[in-house]
Amino acid sequence: MIAVATVVDWEALLDAAVASLVAALVVTLAASTAIYGAATFAEAQRDERYGVAAMAAVLALVGSLVVAASIAVGLYVMING
Amino acid sequence: MDSDIVLVIVVFAALAFDFTNGFHDTANVVATSISTHALTPRVAVAMAAVLNFAGAFISIQVAATVAQDVVQATAITTTVIFAGLVGAISWNLITWYFGLPSSSSHALIGGMVGAALAAVGTSAVIGEGVLGKVLIPAILAPVIAFVIGVLAITIAYWTCGRLRPGPAARGFRLGQIASGGMLALAHGTNDAQKTMGVITLALIANGNLSATDFEVPTWVIVASATAISLGTYTGGWRIIRTMGTRIIKMDSAQGFSAQGAGAAVILASSHFGYPLSTTQVIAGGVMGAGAGKRVSAVRWGVAGNLVVAWVLTLPAAAAIGAAAYGFTSIFGNGAVGPLLVSVMAIGLGLALFARRIRAGQPVPQV
């Protein structure tokens, strides 16, 4: 009988679980922020609230950059890992 | 000479398995993008086919696991690997015929283990590898995808819940192009590698590669990538014809969250060399994104079917793999047995396919 505790590399499993959790949640939060920023930017610009529009544009830009960077880092790690 | 013929049969059988894997799983990869209208069916299928091809080149960790951590490469022969593939392909065909949600990956591992047990005995199976690298990750991965799906949809609704529905939906549909692409890439990475692993194992068993120090040959990577990509493309056209009938209903935020959860779990697991059931991981992500909005929105009956498939697939594919080895070995160690079984398997496959087409094709469920 193989003892599950000894043959399973729990550390690697935990690493895989944490990596997938962090990657998915960071990308979701960043993408949601980008969507919120873009939608708010369009609305604020239409209402001529330029200060809010500028802040929303920054949010949208930062969110989009974080999404792109996360995907790029993930692929880099996969290819070079 | 005979062993080389068997090797060629094994390579073709493995690529046929890879093709059916892509054919079988296209729905899982593209369904969410199509159902939320993030992508048109034609674009979704074409993108999935291209990214499945590209994904196969990203990593070879899973291929290494299949080649060295499931069965003893030095103890088995190409005939054993052939019988294992027959077990996997047969189980895939049977479950496809009856419309059962099954895992091609579990069928492959089950078939290989069953054939190795029948041919050599328990000493040919690496228990630690099967348990630690296949079974435990197979159980945990869909659960992790489910949890990530719940958390991701909670974040998405929390962030964008106060926006007007139109702009938010458009934004998440745009996001789905990226998340759907990553999911297709992840699918190609994990699933194509299983075939690479089997072909590599056959090359080791046939003495073409060293068991202790080997690299997956480039032609194996290219052939596996091409087979899964062609299967995805072919399966996609079948799905385009059946779209809009029984496919899942979800909003674009849920689609984005589900695809993101599935892609993250599959890519991270591929990096660590775990050969997962991509079907079950994607289903876990979809259910999580559904449950995060409303628990009753999830079709828990599908979850029950997945559990049944978990329990059934490994032993059933193993039994068929063992039976295929038993039948093949009647004709000795030469190429006659595998050739005969190949002809019978092709005939059975065509008969099932024709019968299923006449009776109406089952629509894949996610």
Side-chain angles (χ1 to χ4, degrees), chain B residues 6-7 173 175 179 187 204 224 238 268-269 274 308-309 335 352 363:
Chain B
V6 178
L7 178 66
R173 277 203 291 269
S179 62
H187 182 263
I204 294 170
S224 303
R238 186 174 68 99
S269 303
Y274 297 124
V308 171
L352 282 178
V363 179

Side-chain angles (χ1 to χ4, degrees), chain B residues 169-363:
Chain B
R170 272 196 299 278
F172 280 113
R173 277 203 291 269
L174 201 64
Q176 271 196 280
I177 297 172
S179 62
M182 290 302 286
L183 189 59
L185 197 79
H187 182 263
T189 301
N190 203 282
D191 279 17
Q193 282 195 66
K194 289 158 197 157
T195 304
M196 292 177 209
V198 169
I199 297 175
T200 304
L201 185 62
L203 290 168
I204 294 170
N206 199 47
N208 302 85
L209 291 176
S210 157
T212 49
D213 182 29
F214 67 87
E215 278 189 13
V216 180
T218 307
W219 70 266
V220 174
I221 298 174
V222 174
S224 303
T226 306
I228 199 166
S229 174
L230 284 175
T232 304
Y233 195 68
T234 314
W237 292 113
R238 186 174 68 99
I239 284 152
I240 285 171
R241 285 199 295 273
T242 52
M243 276 310 293
T245 51
R246 283 167 54 195
I247 209 81
I248 47 165
K249 271 287 168 203
M250 52 170 45
D251 65 38
S252 54
Q254 286 175 301
F256 176 79
S257 304
Q259 288 174 324
V265 171
I266 298 167
L267 282 172
S269 303
S270 302
H271 183 63
F272 286 91
Y274 297 124
L276 299 175
S277 162
T278 50
T279 305
Q280 291 176 359
V281 171
I282 296 167
V286 168
M287 284 176 199
K293 185 178 184 182
R294 188 163 43 89
V295 175
S296 61
V298 177
R299 287 150 59 173
W300 293 105
V302 177
N305 287 344
L306 287 173
V307 173
V308 171
W310 262 345
V311 177
L312 270 184
T313 298
L314 278 166
I320 301 171
Y325 180 78
F327 183 78
T328 310
S329 59
I330 292 171
F331 303 92
N333 292 324
V336 179
L339 276 171
L340 206 59
V341 172
S342 297
V343 172
M344 288 165 63
I346 290 168
L348 179 71
L350 288 175
L352 282 178
F353 198 76
R355 203 177 151 88
R356 185 73 259 180
I357 296 292
R358 274 201 302 275
Q361 297 164 349
V363 179

Side-chain angles (χ1 to χ4, degrees), chain A residues 14-26:
Chain A
L14 187 67
D15 283 348
V18 170
S20 49
L21 183 77
V22 170
L25 297 189
V26 165

Side-chain angles (χ1 to χ4, degrees), chain B residues 24-230:
Chain B
H24 203 265
D25 288 5
T26 311
N28 305 331
V29 175
V30 301
T32 37
S33 296
I34 297 172
S35 68
T36 60
H37 304 289
L39 292 168
T40 64
R42 282 168 201 278
V43 172
V45 168
M47 191 173 96
V50 170
L51 288 170
N52 261 283
F53 182 83
F57 292 88
I58 286 181
S59 163
I60 52 160
Q61 296 298 324
V62 174
T65 297
V66 173
Q68 65 190 13
D69 290 334
V70 177
V71 292
Q72 297 284 1
T74 49
I76 60 163
T77 63
T78 46
T79 308
V80 175
I81 299 167
F82 169 77
L85 281 166
V86 170
I89 295 171
S90 304
W91 182 247
N92 266 358
L93 279 172
I94 291 166
T95 53
W96 171 79
Y97 182 80
F98 289 106
L100 297 170
S102 77
S103 161
S104 304
S105 314
H106 295 177
L108 181 65
I109 303 289
M112 300 299 295
V113 168
L117 280 173
V120 185
T122 51
S123 64
V125 178
I126 306 170
E128 292 91 336
V130 173
L131 191 65
K133 290 260 183 174
V134 180
L135 289 180
I136 301 292
I139 293 167
L140 291 179
V143 179
I144 294 168
F146 178 88
V147 172
I148 293 176
V150 170
L151 294 175
I153 194 63
T154 306
I155 288 173
Y157 284 153
W158 175 73
T159 315
C160 299
R162 279 162 297 175
L163 292 175
R164 286 187 294 115
R170 272 196 299 278
F172 280 113
R173 277 203 291 269
L174 201 64
Q176 271 196 280
I177 297 172
S179 62
M182 290 302 286
L183 189 59
L185 197 79
H187 182 263
T189 301
N190 203 282
D191 279 17
Q193 282 195 66
K194 289 158 197 157
T195 304
M196 292 177 209
V198 169
I199 297 175
T200 304
L201 185 62
L203 290 168
I204 294 170
N206 199 47
N208 302 85
L209 291 176
S210 157
T212 49
D213 182 29
F214 67 87
E215 278 189 13
V216 180
T218 307
W219 70 266
V220 174
I221 298 174
V222 174
S224 303
T226 306
I228 199 166
S229 174
L230 284 175

